Amino acid sequence: MALSADDLSGGRLPSIAKPGEFEKFVQRLAEPTLVRRFGSDLMQAQGDEDSGAASVSSALVPPDYVVGVGDELIVNLWGSVDADLKLPVDRTGRINIPRVGPIMVAGVRYGDLPDVLRRRVGTVFKGFDLSVALGQLRGVRVYVTGFVSRPGAYNLNSLSTVAQALIKAGGPAAAGSFRQIQLKRAGQAPVPFDLYDLLLQGDKTGDKLVQADDVIHVPAAGPQVALIGSVNQAAIFEIKPGERVGDVISMAGGFSPVADRTRLSVERLDERNGARIVQLALPLANRGELANGDVLRAYSLVDVTLSGQRQNKRVRVEGEVARPGEYLLPATSTLQDAIAAAGGLSPSAYVFGTDFSRQSVQATQQVNYDRALRDLETELTRSASTQRTSSADDATAQTARAASTSRLVEQMRAVRPTGRVVLQLPPGGKELPALVVEDGDRLYFPPRSTTVGVFGSVFNGGSYLYADGRGVEDYLKLAGGPTRGADSGSTFVIRANGSVVSSRQSSSWVGNGSLAGLKAEPGDTVFVPEEANKTTTVQNLKDWTQILSQFGLGLAAIKTLSN
């Protein structure tokens, strides 16, 4: 707990009862939520006793307040006699009004005081009226004993109550009771006081005004149970005989709005060698009995993920459909159902180019991509540290390569996988596979593309009109062909459906092949990388097609990395 400068200088340090062993045990179970004994916050020391006394002295005096020695009465007379008097109650219990004489007021209720004074003054004066109020109140000394944070004698205002006296003493200690407090007054039977009546119901009936030499005794705490989890106030509660599970739930203010109201679990310390944790079915268990040390836990429905077979799915459908938008579909819906919900495809929809992205795939791609970048950065650092330089020119070149490598890694960190799932469709396909949708899926149906893009190390990169029958090689010729620094053997094509075709895989899995004879499709993008040893690009960088296929990077990412 942080202390202010005012706490450390002048006043009394705030004091909170140290947690007991059971409270520490419950705190470990409830972390990170702070769980304390119910009512302990109210019992925190006020620190400044003078301000507390001032607030009590300015309180409304109840009619049943009994006037005593040390009180001051303010008496106003008007009519046949005019006087404003401040009259202390002397040791004999009397006040002395001039020309009237002494009047016994000790032991008189505050509500009866005007009539008592009116009758006595009326024996001397006629045709008058009066009012009476309490001025300075007498002090009373009470004793707070038992299991409290600071037992001892306390000087209080005569309007102070049992609860205020307990607050002055720091409240019940870790082993003290909140519910079996006793007010002991000479010659009378002890008066019980249950702080829970005040805390839970605002009932001050049992919170009596203290009198001089009263003893407020706090016995040892009764049985305690804890209620943690999805309730409005997780706390440790002291229970009385006959109180059940439902009573404790009520003490905690009931369940939170997101709670699972059908069950609770209870951890019983007295069954540590057996079934220590037991599940209780509600509402049947509301009448269940509790034992000292039980820990009840309420569960949240928010933290529980339902089976995918039971959840409706939110799917966004965009592009060339009749009614683009977000739709809520039954759990077993497929991609075809999503299209039907959006009113079907328009005549210009290019099904082969469907962009289907999935949140779960994007999350997996991102994790793997970050791991690959860390491995790559480690490999590059190790490679740079083992290189030797024999001249100043070599050192300058190595510094330039290191700077270029750092820029490349930073560019790659800025790229984010898209979560796109490549749909294995033939270029002329008209139907999507019967794949069950997931929550958060996105379907985008582009219009049929009219261009083929050629980028990278070519003489005139750009987009060229698609013509039926042309091959990839034809579009490379339209772009002027590869430059002298191009790595023609690593040329690859990004299809509109997200798949990648590389010249390295066109004829065999090893060695260099070509893309000769590969028919171009609308929306294709042909990319010709540069020779690694002729640029500042890292020489041992993984093949472009591997990055594309593993992490779902799109054309925009390739442009970013190649610039």
Side-chain angles (χ1 to χ4, degrees), residues 386-406:
T386 58
Q387 292 183 1
R388 297 182 178 180
T389 58
S390 58
S391 65
D393 291 341
D394 289 344
T396 301
Q398 183 175 340
T399 301
R401 284 195 297 272
S404 177
T405 299
S406 298

Side-chain angles (χ1 to χ4, degrees), residues 29 362 427 445-446:
L29 295 179
Q362 192 273 339
F445 296 96

Side-chain angles (χ1 to χ4, degrees), residues 161-183:
T161 64
V162 173
Q164 289 161 346
L166 287 171
I167 290 174
K168 289 290 183 182
S177 174
F178 277 79
R179 310 199 63 184
Q180 303 175 43
I181 301 163
Q182 295 177 341
L183 172 61

Side-chain angles (χ1 to χ4, degrees), residues 351-373:
V351 178
F352 177 69
T354 300
D355 186 345
F356 172 49
S357 56
R358 175 163 281 180
Q359 291 180 353
S360 60
V361 173
Q362 192 273 339
T364 302
Q365 289 176 345
Q366 187 66 58
V367 170
N368 293 331
Y369 185 63
D370 291 341
R371 183 185 299 113
L373 283 183

Side-chain angles (χ1 to χ4, degrees), residues 224-239:
Q224 297 180 72
V225 299
L227 178 54
I228 59 178
S230 292
V231 290
N232 287 316
Q233 183 170 359
I236 296 171
F237 300 94
E238 183 179 349
I239 59 174

Side-chain angles (χ1 to χ4, degrees), residues 454-501:
V454 183
F455 299 98
S457 188
V458 293
F459 285 99
N460 186 26
S463 296
Y464 297 88
L465 288 175
Y466 172 77
D468 193 18
R470 283 181 179 173
V472 171
E473 200 171 52
D474 296 325
Y475 288 97
L476 281 171
K477 291 179 181 179
L478 290 175
T483 63
R484 179 174 298 181
D487 183 4
S488 300
S490 298
T491 301
F492 59 89
V493 180
I494 305 175
R495 295 292 198 189
N497 70 339
S499 62
V500 179
V501 181

